[in-house]
Amino acid sequence: MLTQRNRRKWLTIVLFLLPSSIGLLVFSVIPIVYSLVISFTDWNGLNPWNLAAGTPDFLGFGNFKAILAGEEFWRVLKNTLYYIVLYIPLILAASVLAAVLLNNAYKAIGLYRVVFFIPVLTSWVAAALIWKWLLSDDYGPVNAILGFVGIDGPAWLQDRTWAMPGIVFASIWKDMGFFALIMLGGLQGINPTYYEAANIDGASFWSRFTRITLPLLSPMLFFVLVICIINSFQLFPQVMIMTQDAGPYGSTQVMVERIYKYAFKYYKMGYASSFSWILFVIIFVFTIVQMKLQRKWVHYDS
């Protein structure tokens, strides 16, 4: 039986948690459950619910079957995976390289770290507009620089071959500072005696990097990898702003862009909800696979 003191403790805990719990319930849990219900219907997002009149129609798994049987879903998934294949290795390499550079005791190193982090603070709308200008085939500085060295630059965002790489470059510029900061924290957590022992043994920089730094940095690499893959499947603002109608021939159509279009442009809310739940399952499966595979390459001893 709870004493009066314990009851007061529990009441205090409940009162502190109540505002956040209400917000979580109203703005997260209920919308999630509601979207699952909508995914089994043909609701357009405009007409009121009137179950007595049979609106919206209950389709069961009809939306899911239509999505998985259609060519569009597999094209969109292919585009998303293409983005991931380009983005993940480059963002990991760039983040580790930046972290290694920022881990040295240069003069004004604090200023350099701030400069690297500035793109993270920039809104995606502003960043995407900047990169849309940079990659313009008419007046963009990127093609101007390429032309200066004798290379005829492509029409980046108007070319089905180069549209997605252009989005990848913008994403790396925007995200590198955040992930480099995480890697920097991992580097500073490595015991320096490992490097001292390696130096005594005459190990080269590359040997120290591959045999000490990378293995002990693997927890940070794993965390960044999981976050990057989840974010990649939710790719949206840069596609919408930089390529508008999902690029030439739909070359930059991705999952969230399709969900947005079906929900708020075509008013197929049930179809869009089904698309979002399929996306959830894909992200969930990828995350579980990564959690299983981490045992083979992630080392938590530092």
Side-chain angles (χ1 to χ4, degrees):
M1 186 174 179
L2 292 176
T3 63
Q4 184 175 2
R5 182 178 179 182
N6 287 336
R7 283 198 295 269
R8 288 179 179 176
K9 282 185 177 180
W10 279 106
L11 180 61
T12 302
I13 292 171
V14 170
L15 289 176
F16 271 104
L17 292 178
L18 193 59
S20 298
S21 300
I22 292 174
L24 178 66
L25 180 66
V26 173
F27 297 108
S28 294
V29 177
I30 292 178
I32 289 172
V33 174
Y34 193 47
S35 72
L36 181 60
V37 174
I38 292 172
S39 69
F40 296 112
T41 71
D42 66 346
W43 190 47
N44 60 14
L46 300 175
N47 295 335
W49 285 70
N50 189 346
L51 299 180
T55 56
D57 290 334
F58 181 76
L59 303 178
F61 289 97
N63 287 329
F64 295 93
K65 292 177 181 177
I67 292 171
L68 296 176
E71 179 185 348
E72 179 189 61
F73 169 76
W74 300 104
R75 182 178 68 252
V76 168
L77 182 60
K78 179 181 176 182
N79 290 341
T80 305
L81 293 176
Y82 178 52
Y83 173 86
I84 291 174
V85 168
L86 292 177
Y87 173 76
I88 296 298
L90 291 175
I91 190 64
L92 290 178
S95 300
V96 171
L97 177 61
V100 170
L101 293 174
L102 295 175
N103 195 38
N104 293 296
Y106 301 121
K107 291 183 179 179
I109 187 64
L111 177 62
Y112 296 149
R113 291 171 182 172
V114 170
V115 170
F116 266 89
F117 198 75
I118 286 176
V120 180
L121 304 177
T122 308
S123 73
W124 249 124
V125 174
L129 288 173
I130 290 171
W131 274 92
K132 187 176 180 179
W133 167 69
L134 288 172
L135 297 174
S136 172
D137 58 321
D138 294 326
Y139 45 80
V142 172
N143 277 359
I145 294 172
L146 292 175
F148 183 75
V149 295
I151 300 175
D152 187 15
W156 292 89
L157 302 178
Q158 288 76 43
D159 190 310
R160 66 184 305 174
T161 301
W162 291 101
M164 190 63 82
I167 290 174
V168 169
F169 295 150
S171 300
I172 292 171
W173 175 84
K174 180 77 166 62
D175 300 338
M176 182 179 64
F178 175 72
F179 295 124
L181 190 65
I182 295 174
M183 298 294 185
L184 178 61
L187 288 175
Q188 294 183 345
I190 297 176
N191 193 329
T193 57
Y194 292 127
Y195 295 108
E196 294 171 3
N199 287 330
I200 293 173
D201 291 337
S204 64
F205 171 81
W206 183 249
S207 295
R208 295 196 304 272
F209 181 74
T210 56
R211 296 176 181 271
I212 299 176
T213 304
L214 285 182
L216 296 181
L217 199 61
S218 58
M220 298 296 110
L221 286 168
F222 172 69
F223 173 77
V224 170
L225 179 63
V226 172
I227 297 301
C228 283
I229 289 181
I230 292 174
N231 289 344
S232 297
F233 275 108
Q234 299 179 75
L235 177 68
F236 178 66
Q238 52 269 59
V239 168
M240 289 297 295
I241 296 171
M242 293 174 66
T243 60
Q244 284 141 0
D245 293 325
Y249 304 101
S251 58
T252 58
Q253 285 182 346
V254 289
M255 303 290 284
V256 177
E257 178 267 339
R258 289 289 87 192
I259 293 170
Y260 170 81
K261 290 282 181 68
Y262 278 116
F264 303 109
K265 188 174 181 179
Y266 308 137
Y267 299 106
K268 294 183 178 181
M269 196 66 68
Y271 197 84
S273 296
S274 300
F275 227 117
S276 66
W277 276 95
I278 291 174
L279 175 60
F280 163 75
V281 171
I282 293 173
I283 293 175
F284 182 77
V285 170
F286 266 80
T287 305
I288 292 298
V289 170
Q290 290 176 89
M291 296 296 291
K292 296 291 185 182
L293 293 178
Q294 70 158 323
R295 301 170 186 172
K296 297 184 178 181
W297 66 277
V298 179
H299 307 277
Y300 288 100
D301 295 331
S302 59

